[in-house]
């Protein structure tokens, strides 16, 4: 290790100068020679069949080059569906989307045809002239109702709406409830939303007729998944499909999967022999980009007389939407996340995954965890209320202790390994958060505020998150002939500053400045294997592979220079882009000279064991998930007349192991909290009884703005994990996961005089007013 030590420093983002000066290159910036643009014809019904699509008028319009329906797609695509990303034996109906629906649509926005024209405007005008003979069918609009007898089926080929069932648990749950001093039972109903990055989805493709090969640009988090889907769909070899991610303007999970457009656009490019591009507009994003969060939990907690947990049991209904692109992994994560940082002797959860005629669900920042944490933290608050204890005290009595790590929860995680918490100090995290939040003084503050007619409240949210999942991520590090160091990785950035983080890790090993390092990510042409940017996994996986490869490259550079100087490798050292003999007067050779020397100098014989290129590659495969944790405390003020909520103070204690760049982790946490605020207070996708979406613009679907999001008071704890060479855990989702639980608890605390209980989210102003009115009516009836 050099003395440069960039790891742990607040290094400014290397990405920002280009982005701030308009030099970013996003999908829609692509201007390829001969480029055509596409618009899709989408279903206006949540459930319908059709037999004919009349596109003659559209095809005859000026500037239109083609209108393609399912039957017009290439022979290889006929009868094919999109790849199921995560198969699971408990899936009962593994149905995914067709590239273009051939006879039945199962959610509003599902595509049945694509128009290719000189530009997007012409394509959209022509799409409106395409006539489809729709036959509407009854639709399932909510996961709970979809499981009732006689409910409309999501797909006409099905007899019910069950996509899969899971049963997870351990311990003697029945005994726990028999022996309990108290039992609390509640129903929780978190609601769905989506990521809404600044840049919507998009894809462009070029087909090389000579090489029978595709080059595809797509705004995705997982270029290698897109490559695999195209390979499978068209029956090509890997070298025939290169997928490149340009700059990506946010992902948050929904850009993690393969969409129909990523298959249809390459097909159109091949059929027409011209480059074709499609860029999603915001309304399409509302209609077709995957969403998440709709769940219904019926749970009960058994506790002893002191509020110590004896067991938790319940049922979970998860809304899959119309298809299963990511299988049933989110409800599985939910069920394994629920116990959180608490000792839970017995646990049983029965999970049912339900199809509905809504846009499919896939992982969204937190991926099933915000709902689970909401259920568990609300249960802890319910226990506190029932026993007359402070909510923080109930949690203190149930925490897993730091000296009990590693801690086996008794469950199997989604990676197939036991849920084995590796490191962390959960009691200390909460203690720090409470101290920073002024928790002990809050009762006095609340009393004083109430005397002034103000309703303020405080809430707690604790969580543990499985991060850094496998299977792997890789990196190649190369010293270039211009003396710079290049990192090639399969990891695709979507705003997380991978370039900065990976450069910091490499710079410390190669003893160069971070600005002397180039990072190329998300291109299957330069890194043949990659899993993708999701599950807070890139620093753990790609970062560790960079560390491993950098160490190997460092050794190669030292060995090569030592051979040139005829000294031992231990007698030379790396120093700012060169290798020199140790000592004041030692000779040196620059990286540029080394790279040129190994690139093939006539007559030069390389030292034994040294390969021709100054590069090293490594793949890191984690043995299991690492477990980040944290504690959030929200203090809010609620206007009981209007239901408006103001967040007065938000405290985060966050433990993601070794912190590579505190400034970047701060940004991840702050952004995550903003996402959680939206989930807690605003973001609600409204559907009518026929599963038609009613919130398809930002005028209807409210996002948190700067005035609603406070500057969080963030404290970093560091409990390095022994499971990777960096000691790092994931940091991308922890800001979101406990936020709804903490904020809803704070709102409920603020409204204590009304004696109401909140079990759903988001709690919009309308919902808060409704709850207050209901509580007041109940009080009046009781009197």
């Amino acid at each position: 290790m050099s003395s440069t030590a960039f790891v742990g420093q607040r290094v400014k983002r290397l990405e920002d100068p280009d982005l701030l000066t308009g030099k970013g290159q996003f999908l829609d910036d692509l201007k390829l020679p001969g480029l055509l643009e596409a618009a899709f014809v989408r279903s206006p019904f949540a459930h319908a069949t059709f037999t004919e699509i009349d596109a003659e008028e559209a095809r005859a319009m000026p500037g239109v080059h083609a209108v393609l329906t399912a039957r017009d797609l290439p022979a290889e695509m006929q009868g094919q569906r999109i790849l199921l990303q995560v198969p699971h034996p408990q899936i009962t109906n593994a149905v995914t989307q067709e590239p273009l629906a051939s006879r039945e649509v199962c959610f509003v926005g599902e595509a049945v045809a694509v128009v290719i024209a000189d530009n997007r405007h012409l394509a959209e005008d022509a799409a409106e002239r395409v006539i489809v003979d729709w036959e509407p069918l009854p639709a399932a609009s909510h996961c709970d109702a979809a499981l009732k007898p006689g409910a409309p089926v999501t797909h006409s080929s099905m007899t019910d709406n069950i996509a899969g069932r899971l049963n997870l648990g351990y311990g003697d749950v029945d005994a726990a409830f028999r022996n309990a001093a108290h039992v609390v039972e509640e129903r929780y109903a978190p609601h769905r939303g989506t990521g809404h990055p600044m840049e919507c989805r998009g894809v462009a493709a070029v087909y090389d007729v000579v090489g029978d090969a595709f080059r595809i640009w797509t705004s995705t988090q997982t270029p290698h998944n897109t490559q695999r889907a195209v390979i499978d769909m068209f029956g090509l070899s890997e070298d025939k499909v290169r997928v490149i991610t340009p700059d990506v303007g946010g992902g948050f999970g929904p850009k993690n999967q393969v969409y129909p457009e990523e298959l249809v656009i390459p097909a159109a490019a091949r059929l027409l022999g011209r480059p074709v591009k499609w860029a999603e507009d915001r309304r399409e994003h509302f209609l077709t980009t995957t969403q998440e969060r709709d769940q219904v939990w019926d749970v009960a907690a058994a506790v002893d007389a002191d509020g110590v947990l004896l067991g938790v049991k319940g049922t979970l209904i998860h809304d899959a939407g119309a298809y299963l692109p990511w299988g049933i992994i989110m409800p599985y994560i939910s069920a394994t996340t629920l116990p959180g940082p608490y000792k839970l002797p017995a646990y049983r959860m029965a999970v049912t995954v339900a199809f509905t005629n809504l846009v499919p669900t896939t992982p969204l920042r937190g991926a099933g965890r915000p709902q689970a944490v909401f259920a568990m933290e609300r249960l802890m608050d319910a226990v506190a209320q029932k026993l007359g204890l402070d909510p923080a005290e109930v949690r203190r009595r149930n925490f897993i202790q730091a000296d009990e790590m590693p801690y086996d929860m008794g469950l199997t995680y989604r990676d197939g390994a036991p849920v084995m918490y590796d490191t962390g100090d959960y009691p200390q995290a909460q203690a720090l958060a409470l101290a920073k939040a002024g928790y002990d003084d809050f009762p006095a503050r609340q009393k004083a505020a109430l005397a002034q007619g103000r309703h303020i409240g405080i809430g707690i949210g604790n969580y543990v998150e499985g991060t850094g999942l496998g299977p792997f991520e890789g990196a190649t590090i190369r010293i270039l002939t211009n003396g710079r160091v290049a990192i090639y990785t399969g990891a695709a950035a979507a705003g997380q500053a991978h370039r900065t983080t990976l450069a910091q890790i490499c710079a410390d090993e190669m003893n160069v400045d971070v600005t002397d390092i180039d990072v190329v990510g998300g291109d299957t042409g330069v890194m043949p294997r990659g899993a993708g940017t999701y599950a807070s996994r890139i620093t753990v996986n790609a970062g560790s592979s960079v560390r491993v490869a950098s160490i190997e490259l460092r050794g190669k550079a030292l060995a090569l220079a030592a051979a040139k100087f005829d000294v031992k490798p231990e007698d030379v050292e790396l120093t700012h882009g060169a290798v020199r003999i140790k000592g004041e007067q030692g000779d040196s050779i620059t990286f540029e000279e080394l790279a040129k020397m190994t690139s093939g100098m006539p007559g030069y014989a390389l030292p034994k064991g040294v390969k021709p290129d100054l590069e090293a590659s490594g793949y890191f495969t984690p043995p299991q998930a690492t477990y980040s944790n944290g504690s959030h405390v929200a203090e809010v003020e609620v206007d009981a007349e209007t239901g408006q909520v103001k967040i007065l103070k938000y405290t985060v204690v966050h433990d993601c192991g070794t912190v590579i760049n505190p400034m970047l982790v701060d940004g991840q946490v702050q952004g995550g909290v903003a996402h959680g605020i939206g989930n807690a207070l605003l973001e609600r996708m409204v559907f009518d009884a026929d599963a038609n979406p009613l919130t398809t613009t930002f005028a209807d679907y409210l996002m948190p703005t700067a005035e609603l999001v406070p500057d969080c008071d963030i404290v970093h704890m560091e409990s390095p994990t022994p499971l990777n060479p960096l000691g790092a855990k994931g940091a991308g989702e922890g800001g979101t996961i406990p936020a709804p639980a903490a904020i809803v608890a704070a709102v409920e605390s603020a409204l204590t005089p009304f004696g109401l209980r909140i079990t759903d989210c988001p709690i919009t102003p309308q919902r808060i007013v409704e709850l207050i009115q209901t509580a007041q009516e109940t009080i009046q009836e009781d009197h």
Side-chain angles (χ1 to χ4, degrees):
M1 176 76 75
S2 75
S3 59
T4 307
F6 284 100
V7 169
Q9 302 303 311
R10 304 178 77 87
V11 176
K12 290 183 178 179
R13 287 166 47 102
L14 302 175
E15 296 85 348
D16 285 352
D18 282 348
L19 296 175
L20 293 174
T21 55
K23 296 176 182 175
Q25 287 293 314
F26 296 87
L27 188 283
D28 208 22
D29 293 324
L30 282 174
K31 308 295 182 189
L32 302 169
L35 181 70
L36 302 176
E37 297 194 58
F40 284 84
V41 179
R42 301 185 181 280
S43 170
F45 297 101
H47 195 193
T49 57
F50 60 94
T51 55
E52 295 295 333
I53 298 177
D54 181 356
E56 289 308 308
E57 184 179 353
R59 288 190 176 104
M61 293 178 66
V64 173
H65 291 256
V67 180
L68 305 177
T69 66
R71 66 184 61 171
D72 301 314
L73 294 176
E76 305 98 301
M77 300 178 75
Q78 298 298 319
Q80 296 276 6
R81 289 180 179 270
I82 293 175
L83 180 73
L84 172 62
Q85 301 275 353
V86 188
H88 193 284
Q90 299 304 313
I91 294 175
T92 54
N93 266 308
V95 59
T96 60
Q97 273 184 264
E98 297 174 285
L100 293 172
S102 59
R103 57 169 295 276
E104 182 178 11
V105 290
C106 297
F107 66 93
V108 171
E110 187 165 4
V112 298
V114 61
V115 178
I116 313 296
D118 285 337
N119 57 56
R120 175 67 181 249
H121 305 295
L122 294 174
E124 288 193 355
D125 288 345
E128 293 181 355
R129 307 294 179 91
V130 176
I131 301 171
V132 183
D133 64 338
W134 301 111
E135 184 64 39
L137 297 172
S141 61
H142 191 271
C143 58
D144 189 19
L147 297 179
K148 305 295 186 189
V153 289
T154 301
H155 297 258
S156 58
S157 60
M158 296 178 179
T159 57
D160 60 38
N161 289 312
I162 297 174
R165 293 186 188 277
L166 297 164
N167 289 289
L168 293 90
Y170 57 82
D172 191 340
V173 175
D174 294 333
F177 279 80
R178 279 198 307 272
N179 299 325
H182 304 281
V183 172
V184 296
E185 296 181 71
E186 290 203 317
R187 165 171 277 215
Y188 302 117
H191 182 63
R192 68 159 61 200
T194 190
H196 287 300
M198 292 177 68
E199 181 202 29
C200 295
R201 297 184 294 119
V203 58
V206 173
Y207 176 68
D208 175 5
V209 67
V210 176
D212 185 24
F214 286 109
R215 178 174 290 199
I216 299 167
W217 294 262
T218 179
S219 179
T220 182
Q221 299 170 233
T222 54
H224 293 83
N225 284 355
T226 304
Q227 182 197 39
R228 182 182 167 193
V230 175
I231 287 169
D232 289 352
M233 184 65 69
F234 292 93
L236 298 170
S237 58
E238 291 183 9
D239 62 310
K240 300 293 186 183
V241 180
R242 180 178 180 182
V243 176
I244 303 166
T245 52
D247 287 322
V248 176
F252 311 118
K255 289 184 180 177
N256 191 24
Q257 62 141 8
V258 179
Y259 286 87
E261 295 88 351
E262 291 173 300
L263 300 168
V264 173
I265 295 302
R270 191 173 79 173
L271 287 169
L272 296 172
R274 297 268 298 267
V276 179
K277 180 175 73 176
W278 167 76
E280 183 186 57
D281 64 29
R282 187 59 65 178
R283 187 169 188 276
E284 285 181 301
H285 191 80
F286 272 103
L287 294 178
T288 68
T289 295
T290 57
Q291 304 173 354
E292 203 218 318
R293 303 269 198 261
D294 257 337
Q295 292 183 344
V296 178
W297 297 75
D298 286 294
V299 287
V303 297
D304 68 13
D306 296 320
V308 175
L309 287 166
L310 302 177
V312 169
K313 65 179 181 181
T315 63
L316 163 61
I317 299 171
H318 175 86
D319 177 16
Y323 297 99
L324 283 181
W326 264 81
I328 56 176
I329 206 64
M330 288 97 70
Y332 191 95
I333 293 173
S334 295
T336 52
T337 296
L338 185 129
Y342 308 114
K343 293 180 185 176
L344 186 58
Y347 176 56
R348 184 169 65 216
M349 188 60 59
V351 180
T352 303
V353 185
F355 284 119
T356 60
N357 290 106
L358 308 181
V359 65
T361 61
T362 63
L364 171 65
R365 202 173 196 168
R369 299 177 186 88
Q371 304 97 306
V373 171
F374 185 83
M376 190 64 191
E377 294 299 292
R378 292 272 65 205
L379 265 182
M380 299 301 277
D381 290 333
V383 170
Q385 189 176 56
K386 188 175 184 71
L387 274 65
L389 295 171
D390 185 281
E393 178 59 27
V394 170
R395 291 167 168 85
R396 280 191 203 103
R397 295 179 184 184
N398 286 284
F399 275 132
I400 298 165
Q401 301 298 307
D403 60 6
E404 295 177 289
M405 298 292 177
Y407 190 90
D408 188 348
M409 292 299 293
L411 294 165
T412 299
Y413 198 48
R414 59 159 294 193
D415 59 359
V419 179
M420 182 78 73
Y421 295 168
D422 44 355
T423 58
D425 189 340
Y426 308 149
Q428 181 64 10
Q430 178 175 284
L432 282 173
L434 296 180
K436 294 287 286 185
Y439 189 82
D440 289 344
D441 300 331
F442 179 75
R445 293 203 301 278
Q446 188 178 40
K447 183 178 180 181
L450 193 58
Q452 299 169 357
R454 298 169 54 225
H455 297 276
I456 68 171
I458 199 164
I460 303 168
N462 294 316
Y463 75 100
V464 178
E465 175 197 5
T467 68
L469 296 172
F472 60 82
E473 210 62 66
T476 293
I477 317 292
R478 183 177 299 152
I479 296 178
L480 305 177
T481 54
N482 62 4
R484 295 181 64 79
V485 177
I487 299 173
Y488 302 98
T489 176
Q496 301 93 338
H498 291 173
R499 179 182 173 191
T500 307
T501 306
L502 299 181
Q504 286 182 255
I505 295 167
C506 179
D508 277 359
E509 298 303 331
M510 298 303 297
N511 200 355
V512 296
D513 193 86
V514 291
T515 58
D516 293 329
I517 297 175
D518 300 320
V519 180
V520 179
D523 184 342
T524 64
V526 299
M527 197 70 194
R529 295 284 182 271
T533 302
Y534 59 91
S536 301
R537 62 184 300 278
I538 291 302
T539 300
V540 170
N541 286 273
S544 294
S545 66
V546 166
R547 172 84 184 275
V548 171
S550 298
I551 291 172
E552 183 181 344
L553 180 57
R554 173 190 175 89
K556 284 185 177 182
L558 291 172
L560 190 59
K564 175 177 175 56
F565 296 133
D566 195 22
V567 299
K568 297 178 180 178
E570 55 266 32
D571 292 330
V572 294
E573 62 184 357
L574 299 184
T575 175
H576 306 298
V579 187
R580 71 177 182 185
I581 298 174
K582 293 178 180 176
E584 293 293 329
Q585 303 299 321
D587 289 338
S588 66
I589 184 169
T590 66
F591 279 5
E592 178 180 346
E593 292 168 331
L594 275 178
K596 289 178 177 176
M597 189 170 67
T598 59
S599 294
M601 186 178 297
Y604 180 79
L606 294 176
K608 185 179 180 181
V610 175
K611 297 179 181 178
D613 292 316
L614 265 179
E615 70 175 43
S617 296
Y619 282 91
F620 179 74
T621 303
Q624 65 157 79
T626 63
Y627 288 87
S628 300
N629 69 279
S631 184
H632 291 205
V633 180
E635 184 172 332
V636 306
E637 180 170 352
V638 183
D639 185 325
E641 295 288 331
T642 66
Q644 291 287 340
V645 176
K646 181 179 182 180
I647 299 175
L648 302 175
K649 184 176 176 62
Y650 201 97
T651 306
V652 177
V653 173
H654 183 262
D655 190 342
C656 62
T658 302
V659 177
I660 306 298
N661 186 324
M663 183 175 68
L664 296 181
V665 177
D666 284 353
Q668 288 283 356
V669 171
Q670 180 73 47
V673 170
H675 198 150
I677 290 171
N679 290 164
L681 298 175
L682 298 172
E683 297 180 53
R684 176 174 288 278
M685 278 298 299
V686 180
F687 298 86
D688 68 14
D690 295 320
N692 296 302
L694 304 180
T695 45
T696 57
T697 73
F698 284 136
D700 313 307
Y701 182 95
L702 301 181
M703 301 278 284
T705 55
E707 64 181 9
L708 184 61
V709 181
D711 289 333
C712 296
D713 192 355
I714 301 170
V715 177
H716 296 292
M717 289 179 67
E718 293 192 57
S719 303
T721 178
L723 298 173
N724 64 67
L726 298 171
K729 307 177 185 179
E733 300 167 285
T736 302
I737 291 169
I743 294 168
V744 168
V747 171
E748 185 177 280
S749 164
L751 300 176
T752 299
F754 299 97
L756 55 82
R757 182 81 182 140
I758 305 175
T759 58
D760 59 341
C761 68
I763 43 170
T764 59
Q766 298 96 316
R767 178 63 176 151
I768 290 172
V769 170
E770 178 182 286
L771 288 168
I772 291 172
Q773 290 176 344
T774 301
Q776 290 175 325
E777 290 169 2
T778 301
I779 292 171
Q780 291 172 357
E781 290 173 1
D782 291 343
H783 288 78

